[in-house]
């Protein structure tokens, strides 16, 4: 649902950050821009209050705060984008970066690895390959009679 600040940010199928929870700040960007570089506010800073967001479940919030703790200032996640000349493209880039960052942070951890032993066949194949290699190298040596 587009609003005055643009569309909502779709993080995953079950998680959408509404545009009403996002706040924007614009400033002059360094870098490319030609004559308009000093007159247009093309740099975008996107702020999202992750700690106070209503769309996150308790588990998602805990994961996000734990994994992005060093990036949060007072529970607020800030993302800056200034790689494009147009403010609109920088806004899209900031939204995409926010979605990727949040999706990675709230993703469930991988299940722990279950220790397994090599099969007897794989051990035998490994030893046979080593023996073949040994034979090849032995054949390259100078004869010793």
């Amino acid at each position: 649902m587009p609003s005055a600040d643009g569309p909502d940010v779709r993080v995953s199928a079950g998680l959408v950050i509404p545009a009403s929870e996002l706040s924007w700040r614009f400033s002059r960007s360094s870098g490319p821009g030609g004559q308009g570089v000093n007159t247009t506010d093309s740099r975008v800073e996107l702020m999202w209050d992750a700690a106070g967001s209503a769309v996150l479940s308790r588990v998602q919030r805990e994961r996000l705060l734990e994994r992005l703790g060093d990036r949060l200032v007072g529970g607020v996640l800030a993302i800056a984008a200034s790689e494009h000349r147009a403010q609109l493209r920088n806004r899209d880039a900031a939204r995409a970066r926010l979605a990727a960052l949040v999706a990675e942070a709230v993703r469930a951890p991988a299940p722990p690895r279950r220790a397994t032993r090599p099969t007897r066949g794989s051990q035998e194949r490994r030893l046979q390959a080593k023996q073949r290699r040994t034979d090849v190298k032995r054949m390259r040596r100078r004869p010793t009679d």
Side-chain angles (χ1 to χ4, degrees):
M1 292 173 228
S3 70
D5 293 329
D8 297 341
V9 177
R10 177 173 294 286
V11 176
S12 65
L15 180 59
V16 177
I17 301 171
S20 59
E21 288 192 7
L22 304 175
S23 60
W24 299 89
R25 194 165 48 204
F26 308 101
S27 59
R28 291 193 180 141
S29 176
S30 63
Q35 292 176 334
V37 75
N38 294 325
T39 59
T40 57
D41 290 341
S42 60
R43 181 179 184 272
V44 169
E45 195 172 349
L46 170 61
M47 277 89 59
W48 176 56
D49 185 8
S53 178
V55 296
L56 296 174
S57 68
R58 185 183 58 77
V59 174
Q60 288 174 329
R61 182 174 287 107
E62 287 172 2
R63 275 189 201 139
L64 189 114
L65 293 176
E66 177 189 330
R67 293 178 182 168
L68 297 180
D70 54 338
R71 290 206 50 174
L72 299 175
V73 178
V76 176
L77 178 63
I79 294 174
S82 62
E83 59 265 18
H84 301 291
R85 288 175 59 166
Q87 185 190 99
L88 205 58
R89 290 181 66 193
N90 281 330
R91 288 169 74 127
D92 292 340
R95 272 191 215 96
R97 217 175 292 156
L98 174 68
L101 204 60
V102 172
E104 181 64 31
V106 300
R107 194 182 57 179
R113 181 187 177 278
R114 287 175 36 200
T116 57
R117 296 185 58 197
T119 62
R120 181 181 295 167
S122 72
Q123 288 177 333
E124 288 174 3
R125 284 189 300 274
R126 180 180 141 268
L127 292 175
Q128 287 171 359
K130 285 178 71 160
Q131 189 60 52
R132 276 193 304 272
R133 193 75 187 140
T134 301
D135 294 342
V136 165
K137 291 195 172 205
R138 188 181 302 124
M139 294 301 291
R140 291 179 185 162
R141 286 190 203 146
R142 191 176 294 262
T144 59
D145 8 70

